[in-house]
Amino acid sequence: MNCLFEIRNLTIDLGSGRAPRRVIDSLDLDIPAGRTVALIGHNGSGKSTLLKALARQIERTSGEIRTMGRPQQAWSQRDHARALAYLPQYTPSAEGMTVRQLVALGRYPWHGALGRPSAEDRVAVEAALVECGLVEYEGRLVDTLSGGERQRAWLAMLLAQGANALLLDEPISALDIAHQIEVMSLVHRLSQAGRSVLVVLHDVNLAARFSDHIIALKAGKVVLNGTPDDLMQPDALSWVYGLAMDVVTRPGRAPLASAL
């Protein structure tokens, strides 16, 4: 299997003082490349913490992370930013910024703070606007967009970055169901175009519908690692979420999980 990440004996403790909280506990995991991989689990299971460690947003306590076959510490900050793009759950303010200006920020790892945008930068920005369906919005202020449009603008910024791997932390948590489906449809298309996507999700049904692979965490350990079909079984769902679950199957449509 071609791996985006190879994780060995990873432990992450958060908090200071004498009693830090262990969030990830001696984790061994291979995350496949070239797919949409969903990280799921109940609140506090370690999903966002793991994603942040893979994105080099937080330090690991111990263990090893290999990114695209190379030890994480062997990557320079600039090369890492060019290879992987990270979108936090809570994006910073883009007050006074147009969609095009936001998307152009994705080129920062290539020309730095003082470099002048090149023809290559402009081509990358144009391509990202087209791929995310934002050409007609490029002159709009980001803060005037709907939630789904705003998330597409942030995704376009990641695409302009030129990274082949996208790490997304709950990108649909603040959206209504229509915009959730819109954004997840885009995310899955980006993966089908050849990118690797690792996305933290709360909604198990959307995870099963739009992902190729599912990794479920519970108390910092992997409790399921497989396909959406592996997940959408009553026993598997009950094990992941700790409550009785049922799955409704419908001819020609995706199964739906619900609590009993």
Side-chain angles (χ1 to χ4, degrees):
M1 178 178 65
N2 187 20
C3 289
L4 176 61
F5 296 107
E6 299 163 83
I7 302 165
R8 297 293 179 267
N9 200 31
L10 179 66
T11 295
I12 301 175
D13 297 331
L14 297 181
S16 56
R18 296 183 178 179
R21 181 169 59 96
R22 179 144 298 177
V23 182
I24 301 295
D25 189 9
S26 303
L27 186 69
D28 289 319
L29 178 64
D30 289 339
I31 298 178
R35 306 181 195 177
T36 300
V37 180
L39 278 175
I40 67 168
H42 57 74
N43 288 340
S45 60
K47 307 181 299 296
S48 292
T49 298
L50 176 59
L51 193 77
K52 289 175 183 176
L54 298 175
R56 293 176 72 168
Q57 299 296 305
I58 59 174
E59 294 292 330
R60 60 189 184 274
T61 302
S62 61
E64 181 184 13
I65 297 172
R66 295 183 69 86
T67 303
M68 302 178 188
R70 293 169 56 191
Q72 190 183 67
Q73 63 272 19
W75 291 81
S76 69
Q77 289 289 345
R78 173 166 285 192
D79 285 346
H80 196 267
R82 289 175 173 179
L84 288 93
Y86 168 71
L87 186 67
Q89 181 179 356
Y90 302 106
T91 53
S93 172
E95 184 177 358
M97 190 176 295
T98 67
V99 169
R100 174 174 283 275
Q101 288 170 333
L102 175 64
V103 175
L105 289 180
R107 299 304 297 169
Y108 178 85
W110 298 91
H111 58 63
L114 301 178
R116 295 176 61 85
S118 65
E120 183 179 356
D121 295 325
R122 289 188 286 273
V123 168
V125 170
E126 289 291 342
L129 289 168
V130 170
E131 194 163 5
C132 292
L134 291 169
V135 173
E136 63 184 291
Y137 300 97
E138 65 174 292
R140 291 267 303 273
L141 293 175
V142 175
D143 289 347
T144 68
L145 302 177
S146 70
E149 292 162 351
R150 192 179 303 116
Q151 284 299 83
R152 283 195 283 134
W154 283 101
L155 287 171
M157 186 196 75
L158 302 190
L159 297 188
Q161 192 170 324
N164 286 323
L166 309 180
L167 278 58
L168 314 175
D169 193 355
E170 298 190 39
I172 60 173
S173 61
L175 304 180
D176 61 38
I177 185 63
H179 286 122
Q180 288 179 354
I181 291 173
E182 172 192 326
V183 170
M184 286 308 302
S185 296
L186 172 59
V187 167
H188 196 229
R189 289 199 304 272
L190 298 178
S191 174
Q192 290 177 320
R195 299 178 183 87
S196 302
V197 177
L198 181 59
V199 55
V200 172
L201 293 172
H202 267 297
D203 190 308
V204 64
N205 290 309
L206 290 180
R209 178 176 174 181
F210 290 106
S211 301
D212 307 306
H213 194 88
I214 304 283
I215 297 169
L217 298 182
K218 189 174 185 178
K221 293 182 176 292
V222 174
V223 293
L224 186 141
N225 185 0
T227 68
D229 287 341
D230 294 330
L231 172 68
M232 297 301 274
Q233 307 293 331
D235 289 347
L237 290 164
S238 297
W239 174 237
V240 171
Y241 290 102
L243 74 164
M245 303 276 289
D246 194 14
V247 178
V248 177
T249 57
R250 305 165 297 166
R253 303 184 69 182
L256 288 174
S258 62
L260 293 176

